[in-house]
Amino acid sequence: LRGSMRMAGRTLSPRPAGRGRRALGSAVNWGKHPVNDPDGAGRRAVAAAREAWARDGVIHLPHFLTQQGVAVALEEEAAAVDAGLVFRSTEDHNVMLDESGRLSDLPLEQSSKWLVAGDQLSDASLVRRLYHSEELLGFVQAVLGRELFRSADPMNCVHLNRFGTGDGLGWHHDNSEFFFNILLQAPEKGGEFEYVKDSREDDQRIRAGVAGVGVKPHRLSAGDVLMFAGRTAMHRVTPVVGSTPRITCIMNFASNPGGGILEEYTRLRFFGRPLEPASSRGG
């Protein structure tokens, strides 16, 4: 693990939250993706998402955020970066992200990025308000067909990733079942999301994917959402080329109340600091 941190314990001062759903509604393209009404107009959207999830383990929601929503989220991310509320994470890792020794003959993968933790975003920030909206939670639950809960991890529940020149994610399988990813800014070149379907239990498929065989690219534009079964499918983000960074927002959910807490090794790798006791967080 290699990394550096700047002022990682601070939180941005709250900015005006607007007027509840109206403010959130101007940031989300509810007309194109009526996830706020899963029993009405959103029924077809949920059905299509369920079909895609069962077939591919991937759900793509183009332009989920409006241009206004993207602009506000990018402004919040830039403010955090300018304030130094970021951690630089660089890591060499295997494709399983574990210490099992499986496929140990494969070369190590390299990953690097900057991260802004969830506890460094004010409650009034757009991405936190979206994450805590009942509409979004209801949609994700409807797609997966089971009850879910927001992650209890204050850093990892919702966080921002910035991939600068040369940054990317090496091939890996996630430890969590799935992720909800919003692309806020695409780079000039590179930064492409690629995956190998149903690879976790198939060493031959993993080896082929690392060699570039059976790899599926998935192109995204600013404002797009990608829900992805990252535990079962090996995936990566190719290195960013050019001066425009790739910026994303990751939202995590848990199967049980109070779940989703990162292991401390992973926390230090991602955010560069331990979890404060609940009493210190005011919880």
Side-chain angles (χ1 to χ4, degrees), residues 35-92:
V35 302
N36 57 335
D37 187 18
D39 295 323
R43 200 173 284 176
R44 184 177 299 177
V46 169
R50 281 182 172 174
E51 181 180 348
W53 188 256
R55 182 183 65 244
D56 303 320
V58 178
I59 297 172
H60 181 199
L61 304 177
H63 305 298
F64 181 79
L65 287 189
T66 63
Q67 289 184 345
Q68 178 182 348
V70 169
V72 171
L74 285 176
E75 178 185 339
E76 293 172 353
E77 192 271 348
V81 171
D82 290 345
L85 304 178
V86 288
F87 176 71
R88 173 69 174 171
S89 173
T90 62
E91 182 192 10
D92 298 331

Side-chain angles (χ1 to χ4, degrees), residues 54-136:
R55 182 183 65 244
D56 303 320
V58 178
I59 297 172
H60 181 199
L61 304 177
H63 305 298
F64 181 79
L65 287 189
T66 63
Q67 289 184 345
Q68 178 182 348
V70 169
V72 171
L74 285 176
E75 178 185 339
E76 293 172 353
E77 192 271 348
V81 171
D82 290 345
L85 304 178
V86 288
F87 176 71
R88 173 69 174 171
S89 173
T90 62
E91 182 192 10
D92 298 331
H93 57 84
N94 58 46
V95 297
M96 304 308 298
L97 288 186
D98 63 20
E99 299 178 353
S100 66
R102 180 181 169 194
L103 298 165
S104 59
D105 59 306
L106 290 177
L108 291 176
E109 299 287 327
Q110 289 79 43
S111 295
S112 59
K113 58 182 176 178
W114 296 90
L115 298 101
V116 177
D119 62 352
Q120 294 166 328
L121 299 169
S122 79
D123 290 340
S125 74
L126 170 64
V127 294
R128 284 189 66 90
R129 285 187 288 121
L130 176 59
Y131 177 67
H132 285 281
S133 69
E134 294 303 318
E135 293 90 345
L136 183 63

Side-chain angles (χ1 to χ4, degrees), residues 3 24 43 79 85 115-116 128 141-142 155 162 184 193 201 215 227 237 256 266:
L24 189 60
R43 200 173 284 176
L85 304 178
L115 298 101
V116 177
R128 284 189 66 90
Q141 289 182 129
M155 298 185 198
R162 171 182 284 243
L184 300 177
F193 180 82
E201 306 302 330
V215 174
M227 273 184 67
V237 173
N256 303 297
T266 304

